[in-house]
Amino acid sequence: MKKVTLSIIFIASIFTSFAPAMAQFPMGGSSTTQKALPGTAGDQTPKGNSKITGTIVDSTSNKTVEFASIALLDKTTNKPIDGTMADEKGKFTMNKVAAGTFKLQITFIGYNTKSLDITLDKGQELDLGNVVISSSAKMLNEVTVTGQAALIEEKVDRLVYNADKDITAKGGDAADVLRKVPLLTVDLDGNVSLRGSQNIKVLINNKPSTIIASSVADALKQIPADQIKTVEVITSPSAKYDAEGSGGIINIITKKNNLQGLSLNIDGGLGNRGSMLGLNGSYRRGKGGVTLGGFGRGIYNTITKTSLDQTSIVNGVSTLTKQTGDGSSHGLFGQYNLGFDYDLAKNQSLTAGVRYGVRNFSNQQDLITKLYSNGILNSDASSRRDVNADNLSGTVDVNLDYLHTFKKPQQEWSISTLYSRNDLTNNFDANLMDPEGITLSRQRNINTNLNQEFTFQSDYQTPIKKNQMLEFGGKGIFREVNSDYKFLFAGPTGSFSTEINQPQGELTYHQNIAAAYSSYTYTTKKRYTIKGGLRYEHTFINASTKEGGPIGVGDYGVLVPSINASKSIKGTTVKLAYNKRIQRPGLQQLNPNFNSANPQNITVGDPTLKPEITDNFELTLSKNIKKTFINASFFGRFTNNAISQVRIPSDTLEGAIITTYKNIGRQHAYGTNIFANIAVTSKMNVGIFANIIYNTLTGQVLGLNNVTQNLTNSGFNVSGGIFSQATFKNGWGAQAFGFMQGNQVQLQGNQGGFAFYTVGVKKDFKNKKGSIGLAGENFFNSRFRIHSELKSAQFNQVNNIYMYNRGVRLTFSYKIGKMTVDAPKKKARSVNNDDVKSDGQGGGQQGGGGQQGSGTPR
């Protein structure tokens, strides 16, 4: 352990000490004359030693404007004498400018021309800050098209979905927003897939959280939908990101403000299946700011019914299980945060924050099970079982970040730290009863988990000339996972006690990671953009169980290349990408707890799992055609040593199927994602998207009596949706959304599909300080059925889950306080861990009536 720690500190210290030193080198940017744009400068360009810098900003959205043209005009003759173009972040620089009085002119399609009179002294460095430009009224149609395209923004390595105009999601959670993001699918339990893969990483404001490492679905329930500003889908992460997440990265950006003064926002909602209340306050004055917020959400009246037909063959005996279940669930979810930022100097800032998330989810199910051995009812093995399961957690994230910027635009050095801890409890109590409801015995499973980590990270970036960017950095992650579990028994009354040969134990899993990366971006004169990088990560594993001693999971290193290229050709943006990714197992895959809340469908993790390796290839095309923005991507994903769910019959529990995880095979996926946004009018748009993926899965499963089974499965996964939003006079607005998910191919069968829809209206108050809304979901359907089928040589399972999630809710929001606008300043970056596999895997809908199908309505 000491050796591991020293290795990580050594790598981090190299980059920490090297970054400030690199800041002193010009890197070619300051000493090279920048060429003017064609037509704006010639051989008559006056030479000098003054400099002009600034950032172009949209007056309405307050977002930066990419690639605007900036011309320097002679104030007397009005002739251009120098010029440049803003970069992808809206920033521009003019070097070698002579002293004098000039007119600076900013132009961009769809915007009014902006002119500024400036005077430069010899050797002066003039920083104009944010230069605000406004939309052109005479270009209304073109601006509308641009606005629709901006709903989904294309970057060289990601897709950005602007979610802050969603009026139906208010009162819901992050899963409601992610369902509307192209490339993503979210099932009714909140499990997220990117292009058909659940091996993804989810970040919140570029930061990880240990609750996400435990379960993405649970984490999404704690994030209020109306606090999400954008969702970034990074299908081809650069070397700067952790190598984890074979399917890609999802970064959820919450709403922030750069206002001065005091404000308080109140958001609430009341519905037949859930209610919420949020309070968020902020105070900014001068160099510092403080934010304090809280959000609470309760769910109730959620009903689930299940049916299960399951056949298993053990030692020549065929056992048929018929099971029905009636269940309900309720829960409380909350998230509370305290943030602080302070400008230490003009070019230095410090950011700190504490966030606490809580989840208190309970599920009750009444299971009636009948077993037939070789076609004859086994009354002794049949049972009635009343189960109460608790899923509780408390998560703390503490961060402290420092950012140092330099005179050269976009040159910066940062140090980020994060401590994250999640205390997770998964318990259940079961009463075993006879057909008349008399309790015969009781069972209890206690499973407490601790997942904590500390991260130190340092990053440095500097431009080279005006068309190149160099980035490099180092990172160390110190992670510990503990799982303590035991199975208890009791009679109809009395206390619980352990029994011999029953599952119990303790897992301690240390995972430390040392990483270093370098990334280079180059943009040609013809607007080709190429971004390539290389990252190396070395993982040190020290795992053991209390009863069995060390687990033979060795250390491993991986070299991860990535390359992204983009080019606009006759109005069509083309992107090509390749990257290699790894996927480390997460807590639920490692957890050896024997979860038998439903004794016919038992789950248990495997602490010996190794990471899987994936190669990703991608081609993306996007184009504006009049009032329609179209994006189409084609991809291939090839995974070896894949972590897959494996199901085998139990040789000790009659009729039971055991689900675990193994590195057993290969997964190949080929697919396309297509979406279009249509500006029907200036105040109404319609979006359509579809995902079509062909999967092939192969692997070997070690079944009963050590018999190896070769398994192969393939098929299409199809999903799609449509959404529309419109604004009307007097502050009225409306929105509708519908989604369909087809069957999902698994190694041993298919998971059932589902569909849902939602409609909402909203009315803003005249003073613009508040609004009231009404939303309804699935109001034409009393329930949805999810039909899944699993099969192998030794078992067959047909599982139906019925979700009763027809709902309606009333929402409101109000703002208190007077704020004044302050120019946004660059704040310290935060740690960006994205390197642990969540449970997902669709397991939430394969339990056959255990703790499945919470069906949380949104």
Side-chain angles (χ1 to χ4, degrees), residues 6 36 59 142 261 268 326 399 444-445 489 494 580 670 745 779:
L6 290 175
S59 62
E142 286 76 11
D326 288 283
N399 70 286
R444 173 174 293 174
N445 179 215
F489 293 85
K580 183 183 289 290
Y670 313 86
V745 176
F779 37 82

Side-chain angles (χ1 to χ4, degrees), residues 460-520:
Y460 177 74
Q461 69 176 40
T462 184
I464 306 173
K465 299 184 179 180
K466 68 174 184 178
N467 62 338
Q468 302 172 60
M469 177 69 74
L470 178 65
E471 302 172 275
F472 55 84
K475 185 174 188 177
I477 306 174
F478 306 86
R479 179 176 292 123
E480 178 184 1
V481 174
N482 293 98
S483 178
D484 189 358
Y485 57 96
K486 54 186 174 182
F487 213 86
L488 306 175
F489 293 85
T493 60
S495 58
F496 284 91
S497 62
T498 60
E499 292 188 6
I500 299 175
N501 298 325
Q502 291 302 321
Q504 58 183 314
E506 182 179 357
L507 169 70
T508 301
Y509 196 95
H510 292 276
Q511 183 186 83
N512 300 320
I513 302 167
Y517 76 91
S518 180
S519 178
Y520 173 76

Side-chain angles (χ1 to χ4, degrees), residues 625-786:
I625 304 175
K626 294 184 178 180
K627 295 184 178 182
T628 301
F629 175 70
I630 299 176
N631 177 285
S633 60
F634 308 88
F635 67 91
R637 185 173 61 241
F638 310 97
T639 303
N640 291 315
N641 206 36
I643 299 174
S644 302
Q645 278 188 340
V646 177
R647 300 172 177 89
I648 58 174
S650 171
D651 57 357
T652 58
L653 299 173
E654 187 175 5
I657 301 295
I658 297 177
T659 299
T660 187
Y661 302 88
K662 295 293 181 183
N663 297 102
I664 61 168
R666 299 183 303 275
Q667 295 180 1
H668 293 178
Y670 313 86
T672 180
N673 311 105
I674 302 172
F675 63 87
N677 282 313
I678 306 167
V680 180
T681 69
S682 62
K683 294 186 178 181
M684 179 180 179
N685 76 288
V686 176
I688 304 172
F689 61 92
N691 308 305
I692 304 172
I693 303 167
Y694 184 77
N695 279 307
T696 62
L697 304 93
T698 60
Q700 291 184 336
V701 178
L702 187 63
L704 295 174
N705 303 318
N706 293 321
V707 176
T708 300
Q709 302 177 43
N710 294 312
L711 301 177
T712 300
N713 198 11
S714 61
F716 283 95
N717 296 342
V718 179
S719 62
I722 182 170
F723 63 89
S724 178
Q725 60 184 24
T727 58
F728 307 103
K729 295 181 179 179
N730 301 320
W732 284 95
Q735 193 172 59
F737 177 74
F739 178 79
M740 180 278 296
Q741 170 69 63
N743 289 344
Q744 301 292 295
V745 176
Q746 296 188 342
L747 184 62
Q748 293 172 288
N750 294 277
Q751 177 180 304
F754 62 93
F756 66 89
Y757 51 88
T758 178
V759 175
V761 295
K762 185 186 73 168
K763 174 69 169 69
D764 292 328
F765 300 154
K766 288 185 177 180
N767 58 10
K768 300 294 184 180
K769 287 188 175 182
S771 65
I772 188 169
L774 182 67
E777 54 200 359
N778 306 323
F779 37 82
F780 289 125
N781 301 78
S782 62
R783 68 182 188 183
F784 284 110
R785 185 186 72 153
I786 302 174

Side-chain angles (χ1 to χ4, degrees), residues 786-829:
I786 302 174
H787 178 80
S788 301
E789 296 186 14
L790 302 174
K791 58 185 177 180
S792 75
Q794 296 177 323
F795 76 90
N796 289 285
Q797 183 187 89
V798 177
N799 186 18
N800 291 299
I801 300 177
Y802 300 91
M803 317 291 289
Y804 294 78
N805 53 4
R806 176 189 289 172
V808 63
R809 59 177 174 266
L810 180 70
T811 63
F812 68 90
S813 65
Y814 197 78
K815 301 177 182 179
I816 301 173
K818 185 177 181 180
M819 307 291 286
T820 58
V821 177
D822 183 30
K825 296 181 179 180
K826 204 163 194 177
K827 296 302 178 184
R829 292 182 174 179

